Amino acid sequence: MSMSTVSISCDLNKTVREHFMRLPQGGKCLVTYIWIDGSGEGLRNKTRTLDSEPKSIDEIPEWNFDGSSTDQSEGSNSDMYLIPVCMFRDPFTLDPNKLVLCEVLKYNRLPAETNRRQKCKKVMDQVKEHEIWFGIEQEYTLFGRDGHPFGWPQNGYPAPQGPYYCGVGANKTIGRDIVECHYKACLYAGIKIFGTNAEVMPSQWEFQVGPCEGIEMGDQLWIARFLLHRICEDFGVIATLDPKPVKGNWNGTGGHTNVSTKKMREEGGFQYIEEAIEKLGKRHTEHIQVYDPRGGLDNMRRLTGYLETSSITEFSAGIANRGASIRIPRQVGQDKKGYFEDRRPASNCDPYLVTEAIARTCLLDEDEDKSA
Ligand code: ADP
Ligand code: MN
Ligand code: MN
Ligand code: MN
């Protein structure tokens, strides 16, 4: 059999699948455990049967996996623990089945290298009284299985950027099916999806999650990313979170992070927004280090000071300024209260690292090492 006759899963007969998906489950429940792998970017998952539908996260047992296959441990000491932390409805196999986000612990029950949730949670617990809210704008780019941006001409490039952002029409948008399926899947699962739009580069899209308080931001965004990759799998398309997927005069991909505290949202909140921005300015370099998975190297390709980005080396802030590190939305400038937007996080950032750094810098008067 030649490679070209091998069925690729997205090309399989979905009507046959439908028949089996409608079969009753005999009261059993499928639970898919989802975790972040050793790359700090990739998601892994595996599924097991429970005898009945779990009513809360406490009813879902711990599990384990082979960490030597996910770049998380040595083969000789390979078992890693999966600790369920939050539960969502499964939009693929439907009720009563569940998707469960898990923390990964090592053999000694300490957090795995890329389990950034525990430290984030600790900071969020410390700042609880501030009721810090986040909203992350997750941008991404669709690629075909040929490694080429999805729907781009085989040779050459589409017409220059301009008509694509929030566009409509077969000559302006590529892949809306995926965007709409993902939106519905998020709502079904229980993700606080805020909205979606076509982005500046063709085949580039965005969805937003939030507002979410504290640790919930990271939990929700990781599951929303899982849903995106899983839906793309069905369509035979790949969603990349690379922050600069196409070199040259094409927009990069961000993970703009919107932030507010209770005080910022109240009357006269603008002074607290200014205070937070001032603190962020003093820790620019530290933040850049955790705003992408490679300590700033990924963002170096994206934060050039052009194409609606700021320079990676300089901190700046401004009302309605999309070329600044921090943007204050125009409405917030008028209302004198609300939230601000940190435009520096890359699309492939770990939201636990980003939200932790922001909460720590803006609300805790201490250094990272002191609190560790
Ligand atoms: P942009 O104009 O930068 O494209 P979007 O409309 O894409 O903004 O995204 C706005 C984001 O701000 C959403 O993720 C939303 O959840 C978030 N957001 C709205 N209000 C608040 C708030 N008070 N605190 C924190 N985040 C907020
Ligand atoms: Mn946006
Ligand atoms: Mn955007
Ligand atoms: Mn934005």
Side-chain angles (χ1 to χ4, degrees), residues 137 197 199 206 208:
E137 301 167 51
N197 59 270
E199 267 305 332
E206 166 178 320
Q208 307 95 27

mmCIF file of all heavy atoms in Angstrom, residues 137 197 199 206 208, ligand 2:
data_model
loop_
_atom_site.group_PDB
_atom_site.id
_atom_site.type_symbol
_atom_site.label_atom_id
_atom_site.label_comp_id
_atom_site.label_asym_id
_atom_site.label_seq_id
_atom_site.Cartn_x
_atom_site.Cartn_y
_atom_site.Cartn_z
ATOM 1 N N GLU A 137 -6.434 36.737 25.228
ATOM 2 C CA GLU A 137 -6.762 36.662 23.806
ATOM 3 C C GLU A 137 -5.809 35.644 23.192
ATOM 4 O O GLU A 137 -4.610 35.885 23.116
ATOM 5 C CB GLU A 137 -6.572 38.034 23.154
ATOM 6 C CG GLU A 137 -7.434 39.125 23.786
ATOM 7 C CD GLU A 137 -6.991 40.519 23.342
ATOM 8 O OE1 GLU A 137 -6.850 40.760 22.137
ATOM 9 O OE2 GLU A 137 -6.768 41.362 24.228
ATOM 10 N N ASN A 197 -12.519 36.315 16.662
ATOM 11 C CA ASN A 197 -12.439 37.132 15.436
ATOM 12 C C ASN A 197 -11.336 36.638 14.511
ATOM 13 O O ASN A 197 -10.384 35.997 14.950
ATOM 14 C CB ASN A 197 -12.222 38.617 15.766
ATOM 15 C CG ASN A 197 -10.969 38.913 16.549
ATOM 16 O OD1 ASN A 197 -10.975 38.925 17.782
ATOM 17 N ND2 ASN A 197 -9.876 39.141 15.855
ATOM 18 N N GLU A 199 -8.087 37.242 12.336
ATOM 19 C CA GLU A 199 -6.948 38.122 12.598
ATOM 20 C C GLU A 199 -6.374 38.754 11.320
ATOM 21 O O GLU A 199 -6.889 38.564 10.232
ATOM 22 C CB GLU A 199 -5.886 37.376 13.412
ATOM 23 C CG GLU A 199 -6.048 37.590 14.919
ATOM 24 C CD GLU A 199 -6.064 39.071 15.311
ATOM 25 O OE1 GLU A 199 -5.449 39.888 14.600
ATOM 26 O OE2 GLU A 199 -6.706 39.416 16.322
ATOM 27 N N GLU A 206 -8.408 34.351 16.336
ATOM 28 C CA GLU A 206 -8.277 34.596 17.775
ATOM 29 C C GLU A 206 -9.564 34.180 18.474
ATOM 30 O O GLU A 206 -10.655 34.331 17.927
ATOM 31 C CB GLU A 206 -8.040 36.099 18.014
ATOM 32 C CG GLU A 206 -8.222 36.537 19.472
ATOM 33 C CD GLU A 206 -7.930 38.023 19.688
ATOM 34 O OE1 GLU A 206 -6.965 38.544 19.098
ATOM 35 O OE2 GLU A 206 -8.687 38.654 20.442
ATOM 36 N N GLN A 208 -11.056 34.607 22.683
ATOM 37 C CA GLN A 208 -10.715 35.137 24.005
ATOM 38 C C GLN A 208 -11.413 34.316 25.081
ATOM 39 O O GLN A 208 -12.542 33.876 24.878
ATOM 40 C CB GLN A 208 -11.142 36.600 24.152
ATOM 41 C CG GLN A 208 -10.646 37.542 23.055
ATOM 42 C CD GLN A 208 -11.673 37.734 21.952
ATOM 43 O OE1 GLN A 208 -12.860 37.603 22.189
ATOM 44 N NE2 GLN A 208 -11.219 38.020 20.733
HETATM 45 MN MN MN B 2 -8.447 40.777 20.549
#
